[in-house]
Amino acid sequence: MRSSRPTKQHRLERGAKQARAAAPDRSSEKFALHLLRRTTFGITPDLRADVADAGGALAWLEQQFDPESIDDGTCSGALAAWPFATTDPQVNHATMGAGNATSMEDLVRATLARQIWSRRQLFEVMVDFWSNHLNITCPSGTVWATKAWDDIHVVRANALGRFEDMLQASVTSPAMLLYLNNAQSRGDAVNENYARELLELHTVGLGAGYQHRDIVNAARALSGLSVWDRSDKAAALSLGTFRYRAEWHYVGPVSVLGWSHPNGDAAGGVEVARSLIAYLARHPSTAERIARKLAVRFVRDHPSAALVRRLARVYLDSDTEIVPVLRALFTSDEFANAVGAKVRRPAEVVIAGWRALGAQPIPGWLNRNNAVAQLRWTLSEMGNAPLGWPLPDGYPDVAAAWKGAGLTLTAWNAHLTAATHRLNNGVLWPDLATHLLDGAVPTSWDGLVDTLTARLLPGQRVSPAHRAAFLAFLADAAGAADPGALRPQDLKALLPVLVALVLDSPYWSVR
Amino acid sequence: MTEPTDECQECTSARSVSRRRFLQAIGVTGAAVAAPSMFSAQAAFAAGPHRGPVLVVISLRGGMDGLSLVPPVGDPNYAKLRPSIAVPQRTAIPTDDPRFGLHPALAPLRPLWDSKRLSFVHAVASADTSRSHFNATAELERSAPGTNVHSGWLDRVLRVNGRNATFEAVALGTGGRPGHLVGESDVLTMRSLSSFTLAGPDTLCPAMAKALRALHSDPKAPQTSSAVATLTALDTVGTINAQRAKAGAPATAYPANSALGAALADAAALIRADVGLAALAVEIGGWDMHIALGNAGEGQFAALAGQVAAAIAAFAADLGKDFDRVNVVTMSEFGRRAGQNGSGGVDHGHGNAMLLAGGGLVGGKVHGRWPGLAKDDLDQGDLAATTDYRDVLAEFLVRRAGLGQNAVSVVFPNYKPRPVGAFRRPTA
């Protein structure tokens, strides 16, 4: 705690050079905390207990790879507040007017609640990862009835499964077909939007060397993949679900980046699209792209080419299975040697605060506009509400993309709001001293700072200058020249602000 | 980062545009866009004062009906297409152009019109024809159709400026970062000046600010530049707020209960404070008038347009002479259908009108080529678009902000803007 070493960030800058340091000890507390910061939305005492119960970090990781095995009752109870987070398009069409945002808003809030409360943390992190990889802006106009379906059947169904399965589900997802305009694409004048993003964002990426004719051919292969709408006579039972319109399918040979298909009749259009997706999912450029994105998410903003190559190989060798790739990633030396090398996105910063301060859903509370809904608007102000990125490429996950003055102030104020328990509609906040100091009244003010920072920043060393800054705040705030002269009764007023300052510190920004 | 070697003459000679910034703006560098070397914390502290005009972009969300804002009262088809909601010629504000009047709710803007500090561009649109709020908004704010550029156009303007000053771009009102500004430029977002404060107890805020400054002193830490900019902004805004509180209620009457009025009052305070502002983004929603749009003195449109007019008029009066270094532009994702629907409203359409106010205008005029409202002149039932938003914005960038054509081609990739004649050529 009283180290005179350079700040964490200085050391992080040198992280790459240290990659060849001594073999990491994966049974260490340091490794466990590192893994938890990367694979969850924030460390809690319960999470650390789960790791201990599992018998260590890597054993805990294996449990997380099998989310169904983890009891998630508390979180499930909280989700009852947002019943339309999981409703099918037909239900949404039957119960709301066109463009009604209820289902989309319920989904955003439920997603946020899961990130805060689910014990299946790695699963939620991967849901977030894939929701961004296959981004469908939510809320946004055309997907009002269908985004929830996509969340369940595309992303959640496959978040720890095979990428090919996810992409196959996505290509017949009404939300994706509507979002990227394929639902209106006709073979005689194709809409290229989906085909372009499929190649650029979902699979091989810009560097793969495809030409405009590849985009047009991909669009032709996808033409006819559409959605039942109100103008369809048989729509009553299938409104908003996938529909193949053979009459809109382009017929004739198509080829994309080395894949080709005779595409001889309109009846086989879906199979043509499926064949293209199977090809693209296994394309070496896709493998490298997914591997790189995972490495950027979990290791560092600029991962080594060697790591990316290795993960891409695992991806291809495992027939696009994601868990083997993650296992290779989390057991790599590059991962172990990247402690502190990632910066949290704004939403994670605030969500981690809720988790650390022990916010709990009040069982049976069914108010749709509860404190989680209010938090959702705070995250919107920070430009980082779950699922909310306005473009098809998903939220960026590198430090450089998240600068901004108003955003920082919103985070600081969100920490104050959490620490002073001001958002309490449906959410229970434990007493700060009880939760963070185990109820013990500190015998000294530097003891308070040390206990608090050790609890909120486990495994991170607070520099002497920053420790002094916390103590100077206490002295300033209480009008005392010497922090040692503070009175115990000041604790009640000062603790929430001190907690907020710890969450405002650079240490908290580290993932 | 390896840079491609296919040098483009235009790009490398672009004024104020480094090659990296150019590549970044057009998306060539892909994932490498975020290379930290480009975003050293130092840049945030190294801004010079802004000397150009202040661009105030007002987003009219929901699809503003340009045919009500600038009614083509001289076009015989106008009244026919809108039997109950056309603005009658006798109530429209005359414009000297027999083809057009102005909606009577714009009466507060009359002095600006007369002093040539107000004009309109008619039949303007983005390239998007989806009539979807979301798609059209996304495309308007991106303004890079047919390209892989994923940033907002105003973000690219800031990046070619390359100054990274704390107050260079401010988004007021929502607190969020509007689509025009999506990207990697530094933007200060705030709901309002008065709410831009630390939410701690008043007595503890000075000590908090001091602690925050001490916590964010490492120039290499990735969050330092944002934190320092925030602390600087808190100081500056605190000073402005204190001065306003001391001065009491402003002499200028901004419309009451108007988010736009409040945002423009804040905008005026920021402009007067000379904090280096180059771009301000504000917005006003509520334009999606499928029913009961109304015609002249009453109805939803008159109420909302009146609010916009009163807010801009107050903004101009509040700024006085400083209004000449401002340019207000309104943008909306699409116009409405030319013909009214069965509910006294208009459904989603395409061609729209754009309001321009401030200095350097060829003012008191309705610009743009008028396509007409005869059946064959309509574009699938909509006012046809004859001017792209980018034409107007590019003219502002060249004639008012002094950007070179090459920088403009970074802001609007793969697009050659056409002259509109809405901005005066610089005299000096």
Side-chain angles (χ1 to χ4, degrees), chain B residues 278-321:
Chain B
L280 250 160
V282 299
E283 65 175 63
I284 176 169
W287 300 93
D288 195 18
M289 299 175 186
H290 289 276
I291 58 167
L293 178 128
N295 53 17
E298 56 199 33
Q300 297 186 71
F301 190 89
L304 209 52
Q307 195 189 132
V308 170
I312 294 173
F315 181 52
D318 194 1
L319 282 173
K321 203 171 151 34

Side-chain angles (χ1 to χ4, degrees), chain B residues 177-330:
Chain B
R177 188 167 177 138
H180 304 298
L181 285 161
V182 163
E184 287 165 6
S185 57
D186 287 350
V187 175
L188 175 55
T189 55
M190 56 171 79
R191 265 183 290 184
S192 65
L193 287 174
S194 63
S195 70
F196 195 81
T197 56
L198 270 176
D202 285 350
T203 52
L204 298 185
C205 280
M208 279 191 79
K210 194 174 142 196
L212 287 166
R213 213 167 268 285
L215 288 168
H216 297 285
S217 54
D218 177 359
K220 288 205 180 71
Q223 56 286 101
T224 298
S225 66
S226 291
V228 170
T230 299
L231 290 161
T232 307
L234 277 168
D235 278 351
T236 305
V237 171
T239 306
I240 295 173
N241 285 339
Q243 283 166 353
R244 286 170 112 190
K246 209 165 142 191
T252 316
Y254 282 91
N257 303 319
S258 160
L260 180 66
L264 290 183
D266 282 356
L270 281 170
I271 290 166
R272 270 198 311 268
D274 217 4
V275 292
L277 205 58
L280 250 160
V282 299
E283 65 175 63
I284 176 169
W287 300 93
D288 195 18
M289 299 175 186
H290 289 276
I291 58 167
L293 178 128
N295 53 17
E298 56 199 33
Q300 297 186 71
F301 190 89
L304 209 52
Q307 195 189 132
V308 170
I312 294 173
F315 181 52
D318 194 1
L319 282 173
K321 203 171 151 34
D322 282 338
F323 193 60
D324 284 333
R325 58 186 186 96
V326 170
N327 277 107
V328 176
V329 305
T330 67

Side-chain angles (χ1 to χ4, degrees), chain A residues 200 381 391 404-405 413 476 504 509, chain B residues 148 150 175 199 210 223 226 230:
Chain A
E200 179 185 337
E381 285 195 14
L391 301 166
N413 286 341
D476 279 2
D504 297 344
S509 317
Chain B
N148 295 311
H150 284 135
K210 194 174 142 196
Q223 56 286 101
S226 291
T230 299

Side-chain angles (χ1 to χ4, degrees), chain B residues 8-19 21-22 25 49-53 156-163 168 396-411 426:
Chain B
C8 151
Q9 194 60 42
E10 270 197 341
C11 324
T12 45
S13 61
R15 181 180 172 280
S16 308
V17 185
S18 77
R19 171 146 184 82
R21 281 186 181 280
F22 175 77
H50 170 69
R51 301 284 178 219
R156 298 193 293 277
V157 172
L158 297 171
R159 285 199 251 161
V160 298
N161 275 343
R163 290 173 52 259
E168 186 174 22
F396 164 84
L397 293 176
V398 171
R399 293 192 177 173
R400 288 281 284 163
L403 290 192
Q405 295 292 350
N406 297 327
V408 170
S409 73
V410 174
V411 176

Side-chain angles (χ1 to χ4, degrees), chain A residues 238-262:
Chain A
S238 38
L239 207 54
T241 61
F242 172 71
R243 177 193 178 182
Y244 177 60
R245 296 179 196 262
E247 72 278 18
W248 288 4
H249 184 70
Y250 174 89
V251 175
V254 279
S255 61
V256 179
L257 275 176
W259 167 88
S260 61
H261 198 288

Side-chain angles (χ1 to χ4, degrees), chain A residues 124-133 290 293-294 297:
Chain A
E124 292 303 325
V125 165
M126 289 308 295
V127 165
D128 178 66
F129 178 86
W130 295 120
S131 295
N132 280 290
H133 183 76
I290 301 282
K293 275 186 105 164
L294 287 168
R297 170 63 183 76

